[in-house]
Structure formats: C-alpha cells, structure tokens
Amino acid sequence: MFDKTIDYYNLHADSFAASTALLDMSALYAEFLPLLKPKGHILDAGCGSGRDASYFKQQGFTVIAFDASQELVNIASINLQQKVELTTFQQIESQEQYDGIWCCASLLHVAKAELSDVFARLQRAMRPSAVLYVSFKYGTAEREQDGRLFTDLNQELLNTLLATQSRLKLLKSWQTPDIRPERSHESWLNALIRKEPI
C-alpha cells in the first residue's frame, strides 16, 4: 500500500502542490518555530512541495528536506532552491543532527505497525531538547482512500506511541479543522514533542 501512496503523489504531484501551496500555515509555524533556537537546523520530513521548508529557510533556519515521491522532490527542489532528498522515514539514519523536525501531514502515510520504529529514528535524529511537530488525521483507523494509505491517530494512540520512546515527551497536543474549505468537516491531531536531555 505504501508503494501505491507514492504512485499517487507521483501521478498527482502538480495538482497536489497547487492545491496546498497557498494554505495559511502561520498558526502552526507560530507554535513550532519559537521553540527552536534561532537559525537552527530543521528537517522537513515528507516535505511535499517544499512550501513549509521554503518558509523556514526564509526565516533564517538551515533546512534539509526529503520526500518519498520523485515528482514532489523535483517540485520541492525548485521551490526550495536546493537539493531535496528522495528518501523515506524508514531510511532516516541521522544522529542528533536537528534542532527541529517538521512532519506536517506526512507521518500519516506510515503504516501503524511501522510508526514506533519511525519515531525511534526521529528521536535519534534530534539533538537533545529538539522539538518534533507531527500531524495526523484524527481517528483510530488504518485505511486506504483514493489510492493512498492513511494511519489516523487520536490522543490515546499518540500517547501509546510516545510511551515506546525513552526520551520523547509530549509538550502539547491539540485538534484543528482542516483549513481547506472542501474538507472543513475533517479534523487533525497536532502535537509538539521534545527530546529530553539525558
């Protein structure tokens, strides 16, 4: 199913990028960026069109971005004006490299059975006291919709997932409606998570 998700984004990369490019993300940026040190290193993991990575770069942060879709990597590389990596969450091998990791509507395409391992990889990639932002569609299902795999999470499932990681501490979680007018009936779970110093 994951291959089908990548195929979907490769096929619909242009329309996906266009439909999400102008969304107002300022409220989420305002939650995440003040928790990072100025000009710190951010990983935009599952960066899509590079919209958020471009904003972070404009704010003076050093940004690394990746996506699993070759077509979105091509678009993001142009938007970000730097090389964007073609990789997956399951291939992250970085060690204490980032002050912040941004996973906006991207981890929701990881199978539920693989989320614990992926969170462990994210934890290793974070410097002590680094902050991780994640968002999932609110719910409990693992489902396929329009050719894509989705893993939904609620607060309880997120807490269970974080309990598998020794140094990840939940700072804040909250629900928001989808800001796309045609999807205002959908709800998102957002969370800010800190890597505790030893």
Side-chain angles (χ1 to χ4, degrees), residues 112-147:
K112 189 171 290 186
E114 298 179 13
L115 276 174
S116 182
D117 174 69
V118 166
F119 267 71
R121 291 174 181 274
L122 293 170
Q123 177 180 256
R124 287 194 294 271
M126 298 165 70
R127 292 172 175 162
S129 300
V131 174
L132 167 67
Y133 167 77
V134 301
S135 62
F136 292 84
K137 293 194 176 187
Y138 191 87
T140 59
E142 188 171 26
R143 58 195 168 81
E144 185 178 351
Q145 181 177 333
D146 300 327

Side-chain angles (χ1 to χ4, degrees), residues 1-176:
M1 288 177 72
F2 185 67
D3 288 340
K4 290 177 66 176
T5 303
I6 296 174
D7 290 343
Y8 173 92
Y9 284 108
N10 283 331
L11 185 62
H12 300 284
D14 289 334
S15 60
F16 174 79
S19 69
T20 56
L22 300 179
L23 296 178
D24 182 5
M25 305 296 291
S26 58
L28 295 178
Y29 298 156
E31 295 279 358
F32 176 66
L33 294 180
L35 300 175
L36 309 185
K37 70 177 186 179
K39 300 184 179 180
H41 288 68
I42 296 176
L43 173 65
D44 189 344
C47 67
S49 67
R51 174 199 61 206
D52 301 331
S54 296
Y55 180 82
F56 300 151
K57 189 176 179 180
Q58 291 165 13
Q59 305 311 303
F61 292 93
T62 298
V63 180
I64 301 296
F66 76 76
D67 202 272
S69 159
Q70 180 65 67
E71 295 303 319
L72 285 175
V73 163
N74 295 343
I75 292 171
S77 296
I78 294 169
N79 290 339
L80 195 54
Q81 297 184 322
Q82 70 182 53
K83 179 178 173 60
V84 172
E85 300 294 331
L86 177 67
T87 192
T88 68
F89 285 103
Q90 293 86 346
Q91 294 169 316
I92 294 174
E93 299 290 350
S94 305
Q95 301 284 332
E96 296 195 353
Q97 186 173 343
Y98 302 106
D99 302 294
I101 299 182
W102 179 259
C103 301
C104 182
S106 53
L107 283 169
L108 50 70
H109 293 311
V110 175
K112 189 171 290 186
E114 298 179 13
L115 276 174
S116 182
D117 174 69
V118 166
F119 267 71
R121 291 174 181 274
L122 293 170
Q123 177 180 256
R124 287 194 294 271
M126 298 165 70
R127 292 172 175 162
S129 300
V131 174
L132 167 67
Y133 167 77
V134 301
S135 62
F136 292 84
K137 293 194 176 187
Y138 191 87
T140 59
E142 188 171 26
R143 58 195 168 81
E144 185 178 351
Q145 181 177 333
D146 300 327
R148 290 177 289 173
L149 168 72
F150 287 93
T151 297
D152 302 336
L153 285 193
N154 60 14
Q155 185 65 62
E156 182 180 357
L157 290 173
L158 177 62
N159 290 341
T160 300
L161 186 60
L162 291 178
T164 67
Q165 309 304 319
S166 60
R167 295 175 63 185
L168 293 183
K169 178 183 178 181
L170 181 67
L171 296 178
K172 177 182 180 179
S173 63
W174 68 104
Q175 285 180 247
T176 51

